[in-house]
Amino acid sequence: MKPETRIGYGWDSHEFKRSIPLKIGGVTLPHPKGLGGHSDGDVLLHALTDALLGAVAAPDIGTLFSPSDTRWKGADSAVFLAEALRRVRAAGYAGVNVVSPLLLAAPKIGPHAAAIRVRVAELLEIPPDCVGLKAKTPEGMGTDNAAIAHSVVLLERRVAQKKAAQPPRIKKDKQ
Ligand SMILES: [Zn+2]
């Protein structure tokens, strides 16, 4: 019997680089620097992807989408998240809620938090009020040129769709 619920945890970090778009949670934010990486560098979607994969004991993001694979160069990280969600469903689960703290010195996430929550909710197919997002500035960590994302997800077992109950067959006595 599969457990009713599962949790997953993932984290990721990327370095800021000049003159590339900044994507966080599937949303492009106005900022002079973006996050470097083989894909679009979306640190939040990567942490979420690993959290989902971990929850169903699937291989991690680096194993499924190797940075040495040219297919993922500049890729939209929503593709990685979609594959993780597919594996979650195949294992018989669906997302309930996520909590994702972000650590970055700049830009301020507050003005964009609603848009990010809506986009993440859309990607995970859960309501926006089930996406917890909190941005903090990393004090004393010496990571001002990096963005760090953590992510915790809760999954619940999906009840297999039962076939509509058939009316009981009544044997008709031969008359
Ligand atoms: Zn990453």
Side-chain angles (χ1 to χ4, degrees):
M1 186 74 176
K2 288 182 174 181
E4 289 296 320
T5 57
R6 288 181 179 229
I7 61 157
Y9 166 73
W11 85 280
D12 193 29
S13 70
H14 282 264
E15 195 176 8
F16 279 103
K17 300 247 156 81
R18 294 217 156 266
S19 308
I20 55 171
L22 174 61
K23 268 184 94 173
I24 293 183
V27 176
T28 304
L29 307 184
H31 197 56
K33 294 191 243 178
L35 294 170
H38 192 68
S39 63
D40 62 6
D42 194 323
V43 69
L44 177 54
L45 294 194
H46 295 179
L48 270 168
T49 299
D50 252 351
L52 290 171
L53 292 170
V56 292
D60 68 13
I61 188 169
T63 306
L64 293 179
F65 305 101
S66 169
S68 59
D69 190 329
T70 52
R71 274 183 298 171
W72 315 125
K73 192 167 168 56
D76 181 346
S77 296
V79 171
F80 308 153
L81 193 67
E83 172 58 15
L85 202 55
R86 191 192 66 76
R87 285 172 180 258
V88 162
R89 292 216 177 92
Y93 290 86
V96 178
N97 75 314
V98 305
V99 182
S100 282
L102 277 168
L103 286 105
L104 73 177
K108 286 221 177 306
I109 296 299
H112 312 288
I116 294 171
R117 288 175 60 221
V118 164
R119 180 60 182 147
V120 168
E122 191 176 59
L123 292 170
L124 292 173
E125 297 177 19
I126 60 176
D129 68 0
C130 290
V131 178
L133 182 72
K134 179 164 71 174
K136 293 175 72 91
T137 50
E139 300 297 328
M141 286 176 61
T143 55
D144 284 6
N145 202 43
I148 298 161
H150 296 264
S151 194
V152 177
V153 302
L154 178 68
L155 308 181
E156 72 179 353
R157 201 159 63 85
R158 281 207 289 191
V159 178
Q161 213 74 332
K162 281 187 185 148
K163 282 184 182 171
Q166 299 285 327
R169 277 190 188 175
I170 300 165
K171 268 190 183 173
K172 279 184 183 167
D173 290 332
K174 283 184 182 165
Q175 291 185 341

